[in-house]
PDB file of all heavy atoms in Angstrom:
ATOM      1  N   ASN G 252    -116.211   5.207 121.816  1.00 88.00           N
ATOM      2  CA  ASN G 252    -114.758   5.346 121.816  1.00 88.00           C
ATOM      3  C   ASN G 252    -114.403   6.836 121.767  1.00 88.00           C
ATOM      4  O   ASN G 252    -114.764   7.534 120.834  1.00 88.00           O
ATOM      5  CB  ASN G 252    -114.168   4.615 120.602  1.00 88.00           C
ATOM      6  CG  ASN G 252    -112.653   4.623 120.596  1.00 88.00           C
ATOM      7  OD1 ASN G 252    -112.033   5.674 120.605  1.00 88.00           O
ATOM      8  ND2 ASN G 252    -112.060   3.433 120.572  1.00 88.00           N
ATOM      9  N   VAL G 253    -113.706   7.318 122.813  1.00 89.00           N
ATOM     10  CA  VAL G 253    -113.383   8.742 122.893  1.00 89.00           C
ATOM     11  C   VAL G 253    -112.588   9.202 121.675  1.00 89.00           C
ATOM     12  O   VAL G 253    -112.828  10.277 121.123  1.00 89.00           O
ATOM     13  CB  VAL G 253    -112.598   9.046 124.185  1.00 89.00           C
ATOM     14  CG1 VAL G 253    -112.197  10.517 124.222  1.00 89.00           C
ATOM     15  CG2 VAL G 253    -113.424   8.711 125.406  1.00 89.00           C
ATOM     16  N   GLY G 254    -111.653   8.396 121.233  1.00 88.00           N
ATOM     17  CA  GLY G 254    -110.816   8.779 120.108  1.00 88.00           C
ATOM     18  C   GLY G 254    -111.577   8.899 118.808  1.00 88.00           C
ATOM     19  O   GLY G 254    -111.274   9.759 117.971  1.00 88.00           O
ATOM     20  N   GLN G 255    -112.589   8.054 118.610  1.00 89.00           N
ATOM     21  CA  GLN G 255    -113.347   8.054 117.363  1.00 89.00           C
ATOM     22  C   GLN G 255    -114.565   8.983 117.403  1.00 89.00           C
ATOM     23  O   GLN G 255    -115.104   9.348 116.359  1.00 89.00           O
ATOM     24  CB  GLN G 255    -113.811   6.634 117.044  1.00 89.00           C
ATOM     25  CG  GLN G 255    -112.653   5.669 116.767  1.00 89.00           C
ATOM     26  CD  GLN G 255    -113.145   4.245 116.528  1.00 89.00           C
ATOM     27  OE1 GLN G 255    -114.320   3.946 116.722  1.00 89.00           O
ATOM     28  NE2 GLN G 255    -112.241   3.366 116.125  1.00 89.00           N
ATOM     29  N   TYR G 256    -114.980   9.354 118.593  1.00 92.00           N
ATOM     30  CA  TYR G 256    -116.170  10.199 118.736  1.00 92.00           C
ATOM     31  C   TYR G 256    -115.876  11.617 118.247  1.00 92.00           C
ATOM     32  O   TYR G 256    -114.918  12.250 118.671  1.00 92.00           O
ATOM     33  CB  TYR G 256    -116.616  10.213 120.195  1.00 92.00           C
ATOM     34  CG  TYR G 256    -117.643  11.261 120.544  1.00 92.00           C
ATOM     35  CD1 TYR G 256    -118.852  11.349 119.855  1.00 92.00           C
ATOM     36  CD2 TYR G 256    -117.402  12.178 121.573  1.00 92.00           C
ATOM     37  CE1 TYR G 256    -119.794  12.312 120.183  1.00 92.00           C
ATOM     38  CE2 TYR G 256    -118.343  13.138 121.915  1.00 92.00           C
ATOM     39  CZ  TYR G 256    -119.526  13.196 121.215  1.00 92.00           C
ATOM     40  OH  TYR G 256    -120.460  14.158 121.530  1.00 92.00           O
ATOM     41  N   LEU G 257    -116.733  12.112 117.350  1.00 91.00           N
ATOM     42  CA  LEU G 257    -116.558  13.446 116.770  1.00 91.00           C
ATOM     43  C   LEU G 257    -117.784  14.305 117.073  1.00 91.00           C
ATOM     44  O   LEU G 257    -118.809  14.203 116.392  1.00 91.00           O
ATOM     45  CB  LEU G 257    -116.366  13.359 115.255  1.00 91.00           C
ATOM     46  CG  LEU G 257    -115.134  12.596 114.755  1.00 91.00           C
ATOM     47  CD1 LEU G 257    -115.190  12.467 113.239  1.00 91.00           C
ATOM     48  CD2 LEU G 257    -113.851  13.311 115.193  1.00 91.00           C
ATOM     49  N   PRO G 258    -117.726  15.151 118.106  1.00 93.00           N
ATOM     50  CA  PRO G 258    -118.860  16.039 118.374  1.00 93.00           C
ATOM     51  C   PRO G 258    -119.088  16.992 117.212  1.00 93.00           C
ATOM     52  O   PRO G 258    -118.142  17.369 116.512  1.00 93.00           O
ATOM     53  CB  PRO G 258    -118.424  16.813 119.633  1.00 93.00           C
ATOM     54  CG  PRO G 258    -117.272  16.046 120.207  1.00 93.00           C
ATOM     55  CD  PRO G 258    -116.612  15.359 119.044  1.00 93.00           C
ATOM     56  N   ALA G 259    -120.329  17.357 117.009  1.00 92.00           N
ATOM     57  CA  ALA G 259    -120.652  18.351 115.971  1.00 92.00           C
ATOM     58  C   ALA G 259    -120.493  19.748 116.563  1.00 92.00           C
ATOM     59  O   ALA G 259    -120.481  19.918 117.783  1.00 92.00           O
ATOM     60  CB  ALA G 259    -122.080  18.141 115.483  1.00 92.00           C
ATOM     61  N   SER G 260    -120.358  20.728 115.720  1.00 90.00           N
ATOM     62  CA  SER G 260    -120.313  22.103 116.221  1.00 90.00           C
ATOM     63  C   SER G 260    -121.694  22.475 116.753  1.00 90.00           C
ATOM     64  O   SER G 260    -122.712  21.913 116.338  1.00 90.00           O
ATOM     65  CB  SER G 260    -119.900  23.056 115.106  1.00 90.00           C
ATOM     66  OG  SER G 260    -120.816  22.978 114.021  1.00 90.00           O
ATOM     67  N   ALA G 261    -121.722  23.423 117.662  1.00 92.00           N
ATOM     68  CA  ALA G 261    -122.987  23.850 118.256  1.00 92.00           C
ATOM     69  C   ALA G 261    -123.602  24.994 117.454  1.00 92.00           C
ATOM     70  O   ALA G 261    -122.898  25.738 116.768  1.00 92.00           O
ATOM     71  CB  ALA G 261    -122.764  24.295 119.693  1.00 92.00           C
ATOM     72  N   ILE G 262    -124.924  25.116 117.544  1.00 92.00           N
ATOM     73  CA  ILE G 262    -125.572  26.333 117.060  1.00 92.00           C
ATOM     74  C   ILE G 262    -125.203  27.444 118.026  1.00 92.00           C
ATOM     75  O   ILE G 262    -125.345  27.313 119.234  1.00 92.00           O
ATOM     76  CB  ILE G 262    -127.101  26.156 117.002  1.00 92.00           C
ATOM     77  CG1 ILE G 262    -127.491  25.179 115.885  1.00 92.00           C
ATOM     78  CG2 ILE G 262    -127.792  27.498 116.794  1.00 92.00           C
ATOM     79  CD1 ILE G 262    -128.969  24.893 115.814  1.00 92.00           C
ATOM     80  N   GLU G 263    -124.712  28.542 117.488  1.00 91.00           N
ATOM     81  CA  GLU G 263    -124.263  29.667 118.314  1.00 91.00           C
ATOM     82  C   GLU G 263    -124.997  30.911 117.854  1.00 91.00           C
ATOM     83  O   GLU G 263    -124.882  31.314 116.699  1.00 91.00           O
ATOM     84  CB  GLU G 263    -122.749  29.837 118.154  1.00 91.00           C
ATOM     85  CG  GLU G 263    -122.108  30.802 119.134  1.00 91.00           C
ATOM     86  CD  GLU G 263    -120.597  30.787 119.017  1.00 91.00           C
ATOM     87  OE1 GLU G 263    -120.090  31.162 117.934  1.00 91.00           O
ATOM     88  OE2 GLU G 263    -119.927  30.416 119.986  1.00 91.00           O
TER      89      GLU G 263
END
Side-chain angles (χ1 to χ4, degrees):
N252 185 302
V253 177
Q255 295 177 351
Y256 168 55
L257 298 173
S260 59
I262 290 177
E263 190 173 63

